[in-house]
Coordinates of all heavy atoms in Angstrom, one line a residue:
M1 N 20.4 11.4 12.0 CA 21.0 11.1 10.7 C 20.5 9.8 10.2 O 20.1 9.7 9.0 CB 22.5 11.2 10.8 CG 23.2 10.9 9.5 SD 23.4 12.5 8.7 CE 24.7 12.1 7.6
A2 N 20.5 8.7 11.0 CA 20.0 7.4 10.5 C 18.5 7.5 10.2 O 18.1 6.8 9.2 CB 20.2 6.4 11.6
H3 N 17.7 8.3 10.9 CA 16.3 8.4 10.6 C 16.1 9.0 9.2 O 15.3 8.6 8.4 CB 15.7 9.3 11.6 CG 14.2 9.4 11.5 ND1 13.3 8.4 11.6 CD2 13.4 10.5 11.1 CE1 12.1 8.8 11.4 NE2 12.1 10.1 11.1
T4 N 16.9 10.0 8.8 CA 16.8 10.6 7.5 C 17.2 9.7 6.4 O 16.5 9.6 5.4 CB 17.8 11.9 7.4 OG1 17.4 12.8 8.5 CG2 17.7 12.5 6.1
S5 N 18.2 8.9 6.6 CA 18.6 7.9 5.5 C 17.6 6.8 5.4 O 17.3 6.3 4.4 CB 20.0 7.3 5.8 OG 20.0 6.6 7.0
G6 N 16.9 6.5 6.6 CA 15.8 5.5 6.5 C 14.6 6.0 5.7 O 14.0 5.3 4.9
N7 N 14.3 7.3 5.9 CA 13.2 8.0 5.1 C 13.6 8.0 3.6 O 12.7 7.7 2.8 CB 13.0 9.4 5.6 CG 12.3 9.4 6.9 OD1 11.7 8.4 7.3 ND2 12.4 10.6 7.6
V8 N 14.8 8.2 3.3 CA 15.2 8.2 1.9 C 15.0 6.8 1.3 O 14.5 6.7 0.2 CB 16.6 8.7 1.7 CG1 17.2 8.5 0.3 CG2 16.7 10.2 2.1
L9 N 15.4 5.8 2.0 CA 15.3 4.4 1.6 C 13.8 4.1 1.4 O 13.5 3.5 0.3 CB 15.9 3.5 2.6 CG 15.8 2.0 2.2 CD1 16.4 1.7 0.9 CD2 16.4 1.1 3.3
V10 N 13.0 4.4 2.3 CA 11.6 4.2 2.2 C 11.0 4.9 0.9 O 10.2 4.3 0.2 CB 10.8 4.5 3.4 CG1 9.3 4.5 3.2 CG2 11.2 3.6 4.6
Q11 N 11.3 6.1 0.8 CA 10.8 6.9 -0.4 C 11.3 6.3 -1.7 O 10.6 6.2 -2.7 CB 11.2 8.3 -0.3 CG 10.5 9.1 0.8 CD 11.0 10.5 1.0 OE1 12.0 10.9 0.5 NE2 10.3 11.2 1.9
W12 N 12.6 5.8 -1.7 CA 13.1 5.2 -2.9 C 12.3 3.9 -3.2 O 12.0 3.6 -4.3 CB 14.6 4.9 -2.7 CG 15.2 4.2 -3.9 CD1 15.6 4.7 -5.1 CD2 15.3 2.8 -4.1 NE1 16.0 3.8 -5.9 CE2 15.8 2.5 -5.4 CE3 15.0 1.7 -3.3 CZ2 16.1 1.3 -5.9 CZ3 15.2 0.4 -3.8 CH2 15.8 0.2 -5.1
L13 N 12.1 3.1 -2.2 CA 11.3 1.9 -2.3 C 9.9 2.1 -2.9 O 9.5 1.4 -3.8 CB 11.2 1.1 -1.0 CG 12.5 0.3 -0.6 CD1 12.3 -0.2 0.8 CD2 12.8 -0.8 -1.5
L14 N 9.3 3.1 -2.3 CA 7.9 3.4 -2.8 C 7.9 4.0 -4.2 O 7.0 3.7 -5.0 CB 7.2 4.3 -1.8 CG 6.7 3.6 -0.6 CD1 6.1 4.5 0.4 CD2 5.7 2.5 -1.0
A15 N 8.9 4.8 -4.5 CA 9.0 5.3 -5.9 C 9.2 4.1 -6.9 O 8.6 4.1 -7.9 CB 10.2 6.3 -6.0
T16 N 10.0 3.2 -6.5 CA 10.2 2.0 -7.3 C 8.9 1.2 -7.4 O 8.6 0.7 -8.5 CB 11.3 1.1 -6.7 OG1 12.5 1.9 -6.6 CG2 11.6 -0.1 -7.5
L17 N 8.2 1.1 -6.3 CA 6.9 0.4 -6.3 C 5.9 1.0 -7.2 O 5.3 0.4 -8.0 CB 6.4 0.3 -4.9 CG 5.0 -0.3 -4.7 CD1 5.0 -1.8 -5.1 CD2 4.6 -0.2 -3.3
L18 N 5.8 2.3 -7.2 CA 4.9 3.1 -8.0 C 5.3 2.9 -9.5 O 4.4 2.7 -10.3 CB 4.9 4.6 -7.6 CG 3.9 5.4 -8.4 CD1 2.5 5.0 -8.0 CD2 4.2 6.9 -8.1
I19 N 6.5 3.0 -9.8 CA 6.9 2.8 -11.2 C 6.6 1.4 -11.7 O 6.1 1.2 -12.8 CB 8.5 3.1 -11.3 CG1 8.7 4.6 -11.1 CG2 9.0 2.6 -12.7 CD1 10.2 4.9 -10.9
A20 N 6.8 0.4 -10.8 CA 6.5 -0.9 -11.2 C 5.0 -1.2 -11.4 O 4.6 -1.8 -12.3 CB 7.1 -1.9 -10.1
M21 N 4.2 -0.5 -10.5 CA 2.8 -0.7 -10.6 C 2.2 0.0 -11.8 O 1.4 -0.6 -12.5 CB 2.1 -0.1 -9.4 CG 2.2 -0.9 -8.1 SD 1.5 -0.1 -6.6 CE 0.2 0.9 -7.2
L22 N 2.6 1.2 -12.1 CA 2.0 1.9 -13.2 C 2.7 1.8 -14.5 O 2.1 2.1 -15.5 CB 1.9 3.4 -12.7 CG 1.1 3.6 -11.4 CD1 1.1 5.1 -11.1 CD2 -0.3 3.1 -11.6
G23 N 4.0 1.5 -14.4 CA 4.8 1.5 -15.7 C 5.0 0.2 -16.3 O 5.6 0.0 -17.3
G24 N 4.5 -0.9 -15.6 CA 4.7 -2.2 -16.2 C 6.1 -2.8 -16.0 O 6.5 -3.7 -16.7
A25 N 6.9 -2.1 -15.2 CA 8.3 -2.6 -15.0 C 8.2 -4.0 -14.3 O 7.2 -4.4 -13.8 CB 9.1 -1.6 -14.1
K26 N 9.4 -4.6 -14.2 CA 9.4 -5.9 -13.5 C 9.0 -5.7 -12.1 O 9.4 -4.8 -11.4 CB 10.8 -6.5 -13.6 CG 11.0 -7.8 -13.0 CD 12.4 -8.4 -13.2 CE 12.4 -9.8 -12.6 NZ 13.7 -10.3 -12.7
A27 N 8.2 -6.6 -11.6 CA 7.7 -6.5 -10.3 C 8.8 -6.7 -9.2 O 9.7 -7.4 -9.4 CB 6.6 -7.5 -10.0
I28 N 8.6 -5.9 -8.1 CA 9.5 -6.1 -7.0 C 8.7 -6.7 -5.9 O 7.4 -6.5 -5.9 CB 10.2 -4.8 -6.5 CG1 9.1 -3.7 -6.1 CG2 11.1 -4.2 -7.6 CD1 9.7 -2.5 -5.4
V29 N 9.3 -7.3 -4.9 CA 8.6 -7.8 -3.8 C 8.8 -6.9 -2.6 O 9.9 -6.6 -2.2 CB 9.0 -9.3 -3.4 CG1 8.3 -9.8 -2.2 CG2 8.8 -10.2 -4.6
L30 N 7.7 -6.4 -2.0 CA 7.7 -5.6 -0.9 C 6.7 -6.1 0.1 O 5.6 -6.3 -0.2 CB 7.3 -4.1 -1.3 CG 7.3 -3.1 -0.2 CD1 8.7 -2.9 0.4 CD2 6.7 -1.8 -0.7
C31 N 7.2 -6.4 1.3 CA 6.4 -7.0 2.4 C 5.6 -8.2 1.9 O 4.4 -8.4 2.1 CB 5.4 -5.9 2.9 SG 6.2 -4.4 3.6
D32 N 6.3 -9.1 1.3 CA 5.8 -10.4 0.8 C 4.8 -10.3 -0.3 O 4.0 -11.2 -0.5 CB 5.2 -11.2 2.0 CG 6.2 -11.4 3.1 OD1 7.4 -11.6 2.8 OD2 5.7 -11.5 4.3
T33 N 4.7 -9.1 -1.0 CA 3.7 -8.9 -2.0 C 4.4 -8.3 -3.2 O 5.2 -7.4 -3.2 CB 2.7 -7.8 -1.5 OG1 2.1 -8.3 -0.3 CG2 1.6 -7.6 -2.5
E34 N 4.1 -8.9 -4.4 CA 4.7 -8.4 -5.7 C 4.0 -7.1 -6.0 O 2.8 -7.0 -6.0 CB 4.5 -9.4 -6.8 CG 5.4 -10.6 -6.7 CD 5.2 -11.5 -7.9 OE1 4.8 -11.0 -9.0 OE2 5.5 -12.7 -7.8
S35 N 4.8 -6.1 -6.4 CA 4.2 -4.8 -6.7 C 3.2 -4.9 -7.8 O 2.3 -4.1 -7.8 CB 5.4 -3.8 -7.0 OG 6.1 -4.3 -8.1
S36 N 3.4 -5.7 -8.8 CA 2.5 -5.8 -9.9 C 1.1 -6.2 -9.4 O 0.1 -5.8 -10.0 CB 3.0 -6.8 -10.9 OG 3.1 -8.1 -10.4
K37 N 1.0 -7.0 -8.3 CA -0.3 -7.4 -7.8 C -1.0 -6.2 -7.1 O -2.3 -6.2 -7.1 CB -0.2 -8.6 -6.9 CG 0.3 -9.8 -7.6 CD 0.4 -11.0 -6.7 CE 0.8 -12.2 -7.4 NZ 1.0 -13.4 -6.6
L38 N -0.3 -5.3 -6.5 CA -0.9 -4.2 -5.8 C -1.6 -3.2 -6.8 O -2.5 -2.5 -6.3 CB 0.2 -3.4 -5.1 CG 0.9 -4.1 -3.9 CD1 2.0 -3.2 -3.4 CD2 -0.1 -4.3 -2.8
S39 N -1.3 -3.3 -8.0 CA -2.0 -2.4 -9.0 C -3.5 -2.7 -9.1 O -4.3 -1.9 -9.4 CB -1.4 -2.5 -10.4 OG -1.6 -3.8 -10.9
S40 N -3.9 -3.9 -8.7 CA -5.4 -4.3 -8.7 C -6.1 -3.5 -7.7 O -7.4 -3.4 -7.7 CB -5.6 -5.8 -8.5 OG -5.1 -6.1 -7.2
C41 N -5.4 -2.8 -6.7 CA -6.1 -2.0 -5.7 C -6.0 -0.5 -6.0 O -6.5 0.3 -5.2 CB -5.4 -2.3 -4.3 SG -5.7 -4.0 -3.7
Y42 N -5.4 -0.1 -7.1 CA -5.2 1.3 -7.4 C -6.4 2.1 -7.3 O -6.5 3.2 -6.7 CB -4.5 1.5 -8.7 CG -4.1 2.9 -9.0 CD1 -3.0 3.5 -8.4 CD2 -4.9 3.6 -9.9 CE1 -2.7 4.8 -8.7 CE2 -4.6 4.9 -10.2 CZ -3.5 5.5 -9.6 OH -3.2 6.8 -9.8
A43 N -7.5 1.7 -8.0 CA -8.7 2.5 -8.0 C -9.3 2.6 -6.6 O -9.9 3.7 -6.3 CB -9.8 1.8 -8.9
A44 N -9.2 1.6 -5.7 CA -9.8 1.7 -4.4 C -9.0 2.5 -3.4 O -9.5 2.8 -2.3 CB -9.8 0.2 -3.9
V45 N -7.8 3.0 -3.8 CA -7.0 3.8 -2.9 C -6.8 5.3 -3.4 O -6.1 6.0 -2.7 CB -5.7 3.2 -2.5 CG1 -5.9 1.9 -1.8 CG2 -4.8 3.0 -3.7
T46 N -7.3 5.6 -4.5 CA -7.1 6.9 -5.1 C -8.4 7.7 -5.1 O -9.5 7.1 -5.2 CB -6.5 6.9 -6.5 OG1 -7.3 6.1 -7.3 CG2 -5.1 6.3 -6.4
G47 N -8.3 9.0 -5.1 CA -9.5 9.9 -5.2 C -10.2 10.0 -3.9 O -9.9 9.3 -2.9
Q48 N -11.2 10.9 -3.9 CA -11.9 11.2 -2.6 C -13.0 10.1 -2.4 O -13.3 9.8 -1.3 CB -12.5 12.6 -2.7 CG -13.0 13.0 -1.4 CD -13.3 14.5 -1.4 OE1 -13.2 15.2 -2.4 NE2 -13.8 15.0 -0.2
Y49 N -13.6 9.6 -3.5 CA -14.7 8.7 -3.3 C -14.4 7.5 -4.2 O -15.1 7.3 -5.2 CB -16.1 9.3 -3.7 CG -16.4 10.5 -2.9 CD1 -16.3 11.8 -3.4 CD2 -16.8 10.4 -1.6 CE1 -16.6 12.9 -2.7 CE2 -17.1 11.5 -0.8 CZ -17.0 12.8 -1.4 OH -17.3 13.9 -0.6
P50 N -13.5 6.6 -3.8 CA -13.1 5.5 -4.6 C -14.1 4.4 -4.6 O -14.9 4.3 -3.7 CB -11.8 5.0 -4.0 CG -12.0 5.3 -2.6 CD -12.7 6.7 -2.6
P51 N -14.1 3.5 -5.6 CA -15.0 2.3 -5.6 C -14.6 1.4 -4.5 O -13.4 1.4 -4.0 CB -14.9 1.8 -7.0 CG -13.5 2.2 -7.4 CD -13.3 3.5 -6.8
K52 N -15.4 0.4 -4.2 CA -15.0 -0.6 -3.3 C -14.0 -1.5 -3.9 O -13.9 -1.6 -5.1 CB -16.2 -1.5 -2.9 CG -17.3 -0.8 -2.1 CD -18.5 -1.8 -1.9 CE -19.5 -1.1 -1.1 NZ -20.7 -1.9 -0.8
P53 N -13.1 -2.1 -3.1 CA -12.0 -2.9 -3.7 C -12.7 -4.1 -4.3 O -13.7 -4.7 -3.8 CB -11.2 -3.3 -2.5 CG -12.0 -3.1 -1.3 CD -13.0 -2.0 -1.6
N54 N -12.1 -4.5 -5.5 CA -12.7 -5.7 -6.2 C -12.1 -7.0 -5.6 O -11.3 -7.0 -4.7 CB -12.4 -5.6 -7.7 CG -10.9 -5.5 -8.0 OD1 -10.1 -6.1 -7.3 ND2 -10.6 -4.8 -9.1
E55 N -12.6 -8.1 -6.1 CA -12.2 -9.4 -5.5 C -10.7 -9.6 -5.7 O -10.0 -10.2 -4.7 CB -13.0 -10.5 -6.2 CG -12.7 -11.9 -5.6 CD -13.6 -13.0 -6.2 OE1 -14.7 -12.7 -6.7 OE2 -13.1 -14.1 -6.3
K56 N -10.1 -9.2 -6.8 CA -8.7 -9.4 -7.0 C -7.9 -8.6 -6.0 O -6.9 -9.1 -5.5 CB -8.4 -9.0 -8.5 CG -7.0 -9.4 -8.9 CD -6.8 -9.1 -10.4 CE -5.4 -9.5 -10.8 NZ -5.2 -9.2 -12.2
C57 N -8.3 -7.4 -5.8 CA -7.6 -6.5 -4.8 C -7.7 -7.2 -3.4 O -6.7 -7.2 -2.7 CB -8.3 -5.1 -4.8 SG -7.7 -4.1 -3.4
C58 N -8.9 -7.6 -3.0 CA -9.0 -8.2 -1.7 C -8.2 -9.5 -1.5 O -7.7 -9.7 -0.5 CB -10.5 -8.5 -1.4 SG -11.4 -7.0 -1.0
D59 N -8.0 -10.2 -2.6 CA -7.2 -11.4 -2.6 C -5.7 -11.0 -2.3 O -5.0 -11.6 -1.5 CB -7.3 -12.2 -3.9 CG -6.6 -13.5 -3.8 OD1 -6.9 -14.3 -2.8 OD2 -5.8 -13.8 -4.7
V60 N -5.3 -9.9 -2.9 CA -3.9 -9.4 -2.7 C -3.8 -9.0 -1.2 O -2.8 -9.3 -0.5 CB -3.6 -8.3 -3.6 CG1 -2.3 -7.6 -3.3 CG2 -3.5 -8.8 -5.1
V61 N -4.8 -8.2 -0.7 CA -4.8 -7.7 0.6 C -4.7 -8.9 1.6 O -3.9 -8.8 2.6 CB -6.0 -6.8 0.9 CG1 -6.1 -6.4 2.4 CG2 -5.9 -5.5 0.1
K62 N -5.5 -9.9 1.4 CA -5.6 -11.0 2.3 C -4.2 -11.8 2.4 O -4.0 -12.5 3.3 CB -6.7 -12.0 1.9 CG -8.1 -11.4 2.2 CD -9.2 -12.2 1.6 CE -10.5 -11.6 1.9 NZ -11.6 -12.3 1.3
H63 N -3.4 -11.7 1.3 CA -2.2 -12.5 1.3 C -1.0 -11.6 1.5 O 0.2 -12.0 1.4 CB -2.0 -13.2 -0.1 CG -3.0 -14.3 -0.2 ND1 -4.2 -14.2 -0.9 CD2 -3.0 -15.6 0.3 CE1 -4.9 -15.3 -0.8 NE2 -4.2 -16.2 -0.1
S64 N -1.2 -10.3 1.8 CA -0.1 -9.4 2.1 C 0.3 -9.4 3.5 O -0.5 -9.7 4.4 CB -0.5 -8.0 1.6 OG -0.7 -8.0 0.3
N65 N 1.5 -8.9 3.8 CA 2.0 -8.7 5.1 C 1.5 -7.3 5.5 O 2.3 -6.3 5.3 CB 3.5 -8.8 5.2 CG 4.1 -8.6 6.6 OD1 3.4 -8.0 7.5 ND2 5.3 -9.0 6.8
L66 N 0.3 -7.1 6.0 CA -0.3 -5.8 6.2 C 0.5 -5.0 7.2 O 0.7 -3.8 7.0 CB -1.8 -6.0 6.6 CG -2.7 -6.5 5.6 CD1 -4.1 -6.7 6.1 CD2 -2.7 -5.6 4.4
P67 N 0.9 -5.5 8.4 CA 1.7 -4.6 9.3 C 2.9 -4.0 8.6 O 3.2 -2.9 8.9 CB 2.1 -5.6 10.4 CG 1.0 -6.6 10.4 CD 0.7 -6.8 9.0
C68 N 3.6 -4.8 7.8 CA 4.7 -4.3 7.0 C 4.3 -3.2 6.1 O 4.9 -2.1 6.0 CB 5.4 -5.4 6.3 SG 6.8 -4.9 5.3
L69 N 3.3 -3.5 5.2 CA 2.9 -2.5 4.2 C 2.4 -1.2 4.9 O 2.6 -0.1 4.4 CB 1.7 -3.0 3.4 CG 2.2 -4.0 2.3 CD1 0.9 -4.6 1.6 CD2 3.1 -3.4 1.3
C70 N 1.7 -1.3 6.0 CA 1.2 -0.1 6.7 C 2.3 0.8 7.3 O 2.0 2.0 7.6 CB 0.2 -0.5 7.8 SG -1.4 -1.2 7.0
R71 N 3.5 0.3 7.4 CA 4.6 1.2 7.9 C 4.9 2.3 6.9 O 5.5 3.3 7.2 CB 5.8 0.3 8.1 CG 5.7 -0.6 9.3 CD 7.0 -1.3 9.6 NE 6.8 -2.5 10.2 CZ 7.4 -3.7 9.9 NH1 8.3 -3.7 9.0 NH2 7.0 -4.8 10.6
Y72 N 4.4 2.1 5.7 CA 4.7 3.1 4.6 C 3.6 4.1 4.5 O 3.6 5.0 3.6 CB 4.9 2.4 3.3 CG 6.1 1.5 3.3 CD1 5.9 0.1 3.5 CD2 7.4 2.0 3.3 CE1 7.0 -0.8 3.5 CE2 8.5 1.1 3.4 CZ 8.3 -0.3 3.5 OH 9.3 -1.1 3.6
K73 N 2.6 4.1 5.4 CA 1.4 5.0 5.2 C 1.7 6.5 5.2 O 1.0 7.2 4.5 CB 0.4 4.7 6.3 CG 0.8 5.0 7.7 CD -0.2 4.6 8.8 CE 0.3 4.7 10.2 NZ -0.5 4.1 11.2
S74 N 2.8 6.9 5.8 CA 3.1 8.4 5.9 C 3.5 9.0 4.6 O 3.4 10.2 4.4 CB 4.1 8.6 6.9 OG 5.4 8.0 6.6
I75 N 3.9 8.1 3.6 CA 4.4 8.7 2.4 C 3.4 8.4 1.2 O 3.7 8.7 0.1 CB 5.8 8.3 2.0 CG1 6.0 6.8 1.9 CG2 6.8 8.9 3.0 CD1 7.3 6.4 1.4
L76 N 2.3 7.8 1.5 CA 1.3 7.5 0.5 C 0.8 8.7 -0.3 O 0.7 8.7 -1.5 CB 0.1 6.7 1.0 CG 0.4 5.3 1.5 CD1 -0.9 4.8 2.2 CD2 0.8 4.4 0.4
P77 N 0.5 9.8 0.4 CA 0.1 11.0 -0.4 C 1.0 11.5 -1.4 O 0.6 12.1 -2.5 CB -0.1 12.1 0.7 CG -0.3 11.3 2.0 CD 0.5 10.1 1.8
A78 N 2.3 11.3 -1.2 CA 3.3 11.7 -2.2 C 3.1 11.0 -3.6 O 3.6 11.5 -4.6 CB 4.7 11.5 -1.7
F79 N 2.4 9.9 -3.6 CA 2.2 9.2 -4.8 C 0.7 9.2 -5.3 O 0.3 8.4 -6.1 CB 2.6 7.7 -4.6 CG 4.1 7.6 -4.3 CD1 4.5 7.3 -3.0 CD2 5.1 7.8 -5.2 CE1 5.8 7.3 -2.7 CE2 6.4 7.8 -4.9 CZ 6.8 7.5 -3.6
G80 N 0.0 10.1 -4.7 CA -1.4 10.3 -5.0 C -2.4 9.3 -4.4 O -3.5 9.2 -4.8
F81 N -1.9 8.5 -3.4 CA -2.8 7.6 -2.8 C -3.4 8.2 -1.6 O -2.7 8.9 -0.8 CB -2.0 6.3 -2.3 CG -1.3 5.6 -3.4 CD1 0.0 5.1 -3.3 CD2 -1.9 5.4 -4.6 CE1 0.6 4.5 -4.3 CE2 -1.3 4.7 -5.7 CZ 0.0 4.2 -5.5
N82 N -4.7 8.0 -1.4 CA -5.4 8.5 -0.2 C -5.1 7.6 1.0 O -5.6 6.4 0.9 CB -6.9 8.6 -0.5 CG -7.7 9.2 0.6 OD1 -7.5 8.8 1.8 ND2 -8.6 10.1 0.3
P83 N -4.4 8.0 2.0 CA -4.1 7.1 3.1 C -5.3 6.5 3.8 O -5.3 5.3 4.2 CB -3.3 8.0 4.1 CG -2.8 9.1 3.3 CD -3.8 9.3 2.2
T84 N -6.3 7.3 3.9 CA -7.6 6.8 4.6 C -8.1 5.7 3.8 O -8.5 4.6 4.4 CB -8.6 8.0 4.7 OG1 -8.0 9.0 5.5 CG2 -9.8 7.5 5.4
N85 N -8.2 5.8 2.5 CA -8.7 4.7 1.6 C -7.8 3.5 1.7 O -8.3 2.4 1.8 CB -8.8 5.2 0.2 CG -9.8 6.4 0.0 OD1 -10.6 6.6 0.8 ND2 -9.6 7.1 -1.1
A86 N -6.5 3.7 1.6 CA -5.6 2.6 1.6 C -5.6 1.8 3.0 O -5.7 0.6 3.0 CB -4.1 3.1 1.4
L87 N -5.7 2.6 4.1 CA -5.8 1.9 5.4 C -7.1 1.3 5.7 O -7.2 0.5 6.6 CB -5.4 2.9 6.5 CG -3.9 3.5 6.3 CD1 -3.7 4.6 7.3 CD2 -2.9 2.4 6.4
A88 N -8.1 1.6 4.9 CA -9.4 1.0 5.1 C -9.6 -0.3 4.3 O -10.5 -1.1 4.5 CB -10.5 2.0 4.6
L89 N -8.6 -0.6 3.4 CA -8.7 -1.8 2.6 C -8.9 -3.1 3.4 O -9.7 -3.9 3.1 CB -7.5 -2.0 1.7 CG -7.5 -1.1 0.4 CD1 -6.3 -1.3 -0.4 CD2 -8.8 -1.4 -0.4
P90 N -8.1 -3.3 4.5 CA -8.3 -4.6 5.2 C -9.8 -4.8 5.7 O -10.4 -5.9 5.4 CB -7.4 -4.5 6.4 CG -6.3 -3.6 5.9 CD -7.0 -2.6 5.1
S91 N -10.4 -3.8 6.3 CA -11.7 -4.0 6.8 C -12.7 -4.1 5.6 O -13.7 -4.8 5.7 CB -12.1 -2.8 7.7 OG -12.2 -1.6 7.0
K92 N -12.5 -3.4 4.5 CA -13.4 -3.5 3.4 C -13.3 -4.9 2.7 O -14.2 -5.3 2.0 CB -13.1 -2.4 2.3 CG -13.5 -1.0 2.8 CD -13.3 0.0 1.7 CE -13.8 1.4 2.2 NZ -13.6 2.4 1.2
C93 N -12.2 -5.6 3.0 CA -12.0 -6.9 2.4 C -12.3 -8.0 3.4 O -11.9 -9.1 3.3 CB -10.5 -7.0 1.9 SG -10.2 -6.0 0.4
G94 N -12.9 -7.6 4.6 CA -13.3 -8.6 5.6 C -12.3 -9.0 6.5 O -12.4 -10.1 7.1
L95 N -11.2 -8.2 6.6 CA -10.1 -8.6 7.6 C -10.1 -7.6 8.8 O -10.6 -6.5 8.7 CB -8.8 -8.5 6.9 CG -8.5 -9.3 5.6 CD1 -7.2 -9.0 5.0 CD2 -8.5 -10.8 6.1
K96 N -9.5 -8.1 9.8 CA -9.3 -7.2 11.0 C -8.2 -6.3 10.7 O -7.1 -6.7 10.2 CB -9.0 -8.1 12.2 CG -8.9 -7.2 13.5 CD -8.7 -8.1 14.7 CE -8.6 -7.2 15.9 NZ -8.3 -8.0 17.1
T97 N -8.3 -5.0 10.9 CA -7.3 -4.0 10.6 C -6.2 -4.1 11.7 O -6.4 -4.0 12.8 CB -7.9 -2.6 10.6 OG1 -8.9 -2.5 9.6 CG2 -6.8 -1.6 10.3
P98 N -4.9 -4.4 11.2 CA -3.8 -4.4 12.2 C -3.6 -3.1 12.8 O -3.9 -2.0 12.2 CB -2.6 -4.8 11.3 CG -3.2 -5.3 10.0 CD -4.5 -4.7 9.8
P99 N -3.0 -3.0 14.0 CA -2.8 -1.7 14.7 C -2.0 -0.8 13.9 O -2.2 0.4 13.9 CB -2.1 -2.2 16.0 CG -2.4 -3.6 16.2 CD -2.7 -4.2 14.8
E100 N -1.0 -1.3 13.1 CA -0.1 -0.5 12.3 C -0.9 0.2 11.2 O -0.4 1.2 10.6 CB 1.0 -1.3 11.6 CG 1.9 -2.0 12.6 CD 1.4 -3.3 13.1 OE1 0.3 -3.7 12.8 OE2 2.2 -4.0 13.8
C101 N -2.1 -0.3 10.9 CA -2.9 0.3 9.7 C -4.0 1.2 10.2 O -4.7 1.7 9.3 CB -3.5 -0.9 9.0 SG -2.3 -2.0 8.2
R102 N -4.0 1.5 11.4 CA -5.1 2.4 11.9 C -4.7 3.9 11.7 O -3.5 4.2 11.8 CB -5.4 2.2 13.4 CG -6.0 0.8 13.6 CD -6.6 0.6 14.9 NE -7.1 -0.7 15.0 CZ -6.7 -1.7 15.8 NH1 -5.7 -1.4 16.6 NH2 -7.2 -2.9 15.8
V103 N -5.6 4.7 11.2 CA -5.4 6.1 11.0 C -5.2 6.8 12.4 O -6.1 6.6 13.2 CB -6.5 6.7 10.2 CG1 -6.2 8.2 10.0 CG2 -6.7 6.0 8.9
V104 N -4.2 7.5 12.5 CA -3.9 8.2 13.8 C -4.2 9.7 13.6 O -4.0 10.3 12.7 CB -2.5 8.0 14.2 CG1 -2.2 8.7 15.6 CG2 -2.2 6.5 14.3

């Protein structure tokens, strides 16, 4: 039962994040990162062949709590994000990929 309510909370948080990113709503802070800043990575995590992350995206990735953000990888497809692309951002930005961010 607790696991189900935890999933609902995570889904709610990500829905809020998505609305904030795409709708211009007031930014929320998730894993030490303002949701409005994550929008700079949108192109790099969507679609089958996304462009490389730009400098602004990599700056956000470098200052984010990656192990925390990567805990949400299982629900990325529900929002149109390609998990493989999203989890590749750290290495594409010159960072070591945390264990939580590895594709299993």
Side-chain angles (χ1 to χ4, degrees):
M1 181 89 160
H3 183 67
T4 301
S5 63
N7 286 341
V8 171
L9 176 61
V10 169
Q11 290 174 352
W12 179 84
L13 283 171
L14 282 176
T16 303
L17 175 64
L18 182 67
I19 290 166
M21 283 175 33
L22 302 177
K26 185 176 178 180
I28 61 168
V29 177
L30 179 67
C31 299
D32 304 328
T33 304
E34 285 186 26
S35 58
S36 60
K37 293 181 179 180
L38 291 172
S39 64
S40 63
C41 295
Y42 183 76
V45 298
T46 55
Q48 192 169 2
Y49 302 105
K52 292 180 180 179
N54 59 35
E55 186 176 330
K56 190 173 181 180
C57 172
C58 286
D59 189 50
V60 171
V61 171
K62 289 175 182 175
H63 292 96
S64 295
N65 180 341
L66 294 176
C68 177
L69 286 174
C70 289
R71 288 186 208 138
Y72 300 102
K73 65 186 173 188
S74 65
I75 60 174
L76 291 174
F79 300 105
F81 302 136
N82 182 315
T84 303
N85 297 340
L87 299 174
L89 282 178
S91 64
K92 288 183 177 183
C93 291
L95 300 172
K96 185 176 180 182
T97 302
E100 298 86 352
C101 298
R102 295 195 179 111
V103 179
V104 180

